[in-house]
Amino acid sequence: MTHVLGEAARISFLLRRAGFAAGPTDLDHYLNLGWESTLQELLHPERVAEDLDALLARLQGSLLDLQNIEDVQTWWLYRMVQTHRPLLEKLTLFWHGHFAVANYKVGNPLLMHRHVALLRSNGLGRFDDLLLAVSKDPAMLIWLDGASNHRNAPNENYGRELLELYTLGIGNYDEDDVLSAARAFTGWNLRANEFFFDDNQHDAGDKTFMGQSGSFDGGDILTIVANDPATAQRISEKLFTFFAYPNPEPDVLAPIVDIYQTSKHEIRAVVEAVLRSDAMYSDRSQFEHIKSPVEFAVGTVRVLGATVRERELVGILRTLGQEILNPPNVAGWPGNGYWINPTTLLTRFNFAARLATARGQPGDGAELNVGDLLGTSNLSEAGSVVDRVLVMAGGLEVSPETHQALVDYVQSPLTYPQGFNGQPNPQQRQAATEARLRGLILLALASSDYQVG
């Protein structure tokens, strides 16, 4: 039986998938908007005021050094936590995984920062324009050796990954196509860490590529692959998988592929088709999507309204298996089941415990105000308290058995320091009550239900 989400749950679900979840204040804003207006605000970030780039300009040279990779990672995580344009930032993360450039080879944090900015500025536009911009991006040229792709010695690295990973997919091209693509991109080089077309190193001869012949250059190759039906299928499926669930049914994917083609490859249109689809809100989507480390960590900070040091999230994400700006290889992160193993689960639980217990003391690295978050400390209304925590946790839906277990936890006798035998005073009772509420929050964040959806 398919579980149908109500309006509020549907909005909360949309905010988790099309962003990094929403804290209490933001959630109220979106609930007042309604689902349709929320979707439109997400899809049109240009309508939402945000001045984070101006903040970065003020912080450079004092708190942030864009020549330091950890500072660049910290800045991007700050954007994810603070943004009012969550879909744009979420799509930037998607494209980072799709094109998967890593600093461990690029070796230039400033170029990595510019690479992420490029993905952000093109992330909702035409796929053709994004593909062209990435192909000329200095970080990509270093990553896949474009700078050493010369007329007399074509380097196949970018041409191969362009066809295998970025567009067509394996089985939709042959080795001759790879060589022709490599020849077409000769001369797309670097000078002083900027794109430079070196006409002296470009192979202007005739080439045969995907059944077409001509004196193709790199731009011609990109146009051909962007218009290929295999690319429409691959990009549509990857976007659907990122937002909904893996291995979508053909009849679910077909109309989204059609949108890619009829919209002339508008990413915004494809994403809207995914977010509007019934499959997006199906049982498969709710239970087969395992939160990535970034979704888990950043989303948890946002739903709790916690104050954290984003720099400390860098190491946590590294342990969880998703160090931004350093994907493991050209294919990016495998995703889904790859995220969960005994080590990463323990790290998730410890991170949740750290946030749930944080009181802003030295060494915490985080601060959480439970009273402001839940708006109540009345444990006698156990069912209501549990429901508030589940709403706070991004609209978390649990089984009746789990819900009752959480209610029983709330209603169990409060605990006091070892050796305490007297009647607690108001301050002691308040401290024990707050500890119980923090424990309830931790149970919700550590639940298997919270790792999906």
Side-chain angles (χ1 to χ4, degrees):
M1 179 182 295
T2 299
H3 178 63
V4 179
L5 297 176
E7 173 84 353
R10 190 177 172 91
I11 291 172
S12 183
F13 185 83
L14 174 64
L15 294 170
R16 294 200 300 277
R17 295 298 178 82
F20 301 99
T25 302
D26 289 338
L27 182 58
D28 287 343
H29 164 72
Y30 290 117
L31 290 176
N32 287 331
L33 283 180
W35 184 85
E36 179 62 35
S37 294
T38 294
L39 177 63
Q40 291 306 316
E41 184 171 297
L42 293 172
L43 287 166
H44 295 278
E46 70 279 2
R47 300 175 184 174
V48 180
E50 186 163 273
D51 205 12
L52 293 178
D53 288 323
L55 175 61
L56 174 62
R58 295 195 297 272
L59 294 178
Q60 284 188 71
S62 55
L63 296 178
L64 288 172
D65 176 7
L66 297 185
Q67 300 289 352
N68 181 298
I69 188 59
E70 190 171 286
D71 281 13
V72 178
Q73 293 167 318
T74 297
W75 170 244
W76 191 10
L77 288 167
Y78 180 88
R79 291 191 71 116
M80 293 181 197
V81 170
Q82 300 294 334
T83 186
H84 296 297
R85 300 172 174 178
L87 176 59
L88 182 59
E89 218 58 52
K90 192 71 171 283
L91 266 174
T92 304
L93 180 64
F94 168 79
W95 292 120
H96 174 44
H98 182 73
F99 291 108
V101 172
N103 187 66
Y104 59 74
K105 179 175 178 180
V106 175
N108 189 316
L110 181 58
L111 290 186
M112 293 300 298
H113 171 72
R114 287 169 50 187
H115 175 75
V116 172
L118 179 153
L119 300 178
R120 184 180 297 112
S121 62
N122 290 275
L124 274 166
R126 291 184 71 232
F127 180 68
D128 310 52
D129 298 334
L130 172 62
L131 194 59
L132 177 60
V134 168
S135 300
K136 291 183 174 181
D137 180 59
M140 176 62 80
L141 287 166
I142 296 171
W143 174 239
L144 289 178
D145 307 304
S148 61
N149 187 18
H150 304 307
R151 179 179 59 194
N152 295 326
N155 185 303
E156 297 184 359
N157 284 0
Y158 184 70
R160 182 174 303 281
E161 306 310 343
L162 171 70
L163 305 186
E164 178 180 333
L165 298 175
Y166 305 156
T167 58
L168 306 174
I170 293 175
N172 295 301
Y173 61 90
D174 60 29
E175 288 300 308
D176 290 338
D177 294 321
V178 172
L179 178 57
S180 293
R183 291 176 56 206
F185 282 105
T186 52
W188 287 42
N189 293 338
L190 279 175
R191 177 178 287 176
N193 280 335
E194 297 290 344
F195 172 78
F196 169 69
F197 178 70
D198 188 347
D199 188 58
N200 292 325
Q201 292 297 335
H202 176 61
D203 181 345
D206 285 345
K207 309 164 188 75
T208 298
F209 178 75
M210 301 296 295
Q212 302 182 47
S213 297
S215 56
F216 298 138
D217 63 13
D220 298 318
I221 298 298
L222 297 178
T223 297
I224 292 171
V225 296
N227 282 279
D228 195 284
T231 297
Q233 182 80 17
R234 180 169 176 77
I235 297 302
S236 299
E237 183 169 358
K238 287 200 70 173
L239 282 166
F240 184 91
T241 296
F242 181 76
F243 288 110
Y245 57 86
N247 305 312
E249 302 85 343
D251 61 325
V252 166
L253 193 60
I256 297 168
V257 175
D258 288 343
I259 291 292
Y260 174 93
Q261 295 169 321
T262 59
S263 70
K264 298 182 179 179
H265 320 156
E266 285 288 344
I267 300 164
R268 191 191 321 264
V270 175
V271 172
E272 180 171 3
V274 172
L275 299 180
R276 284 189 180 279
S277 67
D278 290 339
M280 177 74 192
Y281 306 91
S282 67
D283 286 352
R284 282 199 66 187
S285 186
Q286 292 178 61
F287 300 113
E288 293 185 23
H289 175 97
I290 298 174
K291 288 176 180 171
S292 71
V294 172
E295 287 177 310
F296 175 82
V298 173
T300 301
V301 171
R302 285 174 66 99
V303 298
L304 293 178
T307 300
V308 300
R309 299 187 185 105
E310 283 80 5
R311 185 177 301 277
E312 297 188 10
L313 296 180
V314 175
I316 291 167
L317 290 173
R318 186 182 299 120
T319 303
L320 288 173
Q322 192 178 23
E323 182 187 1
I324 57 172
L325 304 186
N326 270 321
N329 52 52
V330 290
W333 296 279
N336 229 39
Y338 168 82
W339 301 129
I340 299 297
N341 60 54
T343 298
T344 59
L345 268 181
L346 180 60
T347 302
R348 288 185 181 219
F349 297 161
N350 288 339
F351 177 71
R354 179 177 165 189
L355 288 185
T357 59
R359 291 174 171 83
Q361 300 301 315
D364 272 358
E367 182 177 3
L368 173 64
N369 190 313
V370 176
D372 289 348
L373 180 63
L374 299 181
T376 183
S377 58
N378 186 359
L379 299 185
S380 65
E381 299 176 358
S384 176
V385 171
V386 169
D387 290 340
R388 284 173 183 257
V389 169
L390 295 179
V391 169
M392 171 276 305
L396 185 62
E397 297 199 7
V398 298
S399 68
E401 294 78 13
T402 298
H403 189 278
Q404 185 58 52
L406 293 174
V407 168
D408 292 342
Y409 171 75
V410 173
Q411 292 177 329
S412 62
L414 294 176
T415 56
Y416 295 94
Q418 187 175 5
F420 178 83
N421 296 313
Q423 186 69 22
N425 61 38
Q427 292 78 15
Q428 291 167 328
R429 179 170 289 277
Q430 180 180 352
T433 298
E434 180 175 310
R436 179 57 48 85
L437 291 172
R438 289 176 180 270
L440 177 62
I441 291 171
L442 173 57
L443 289 174
L445 300 180
S447 69
S448 58
D449 303 89
Y450 188 73
Q451 311 310 312
V452 298

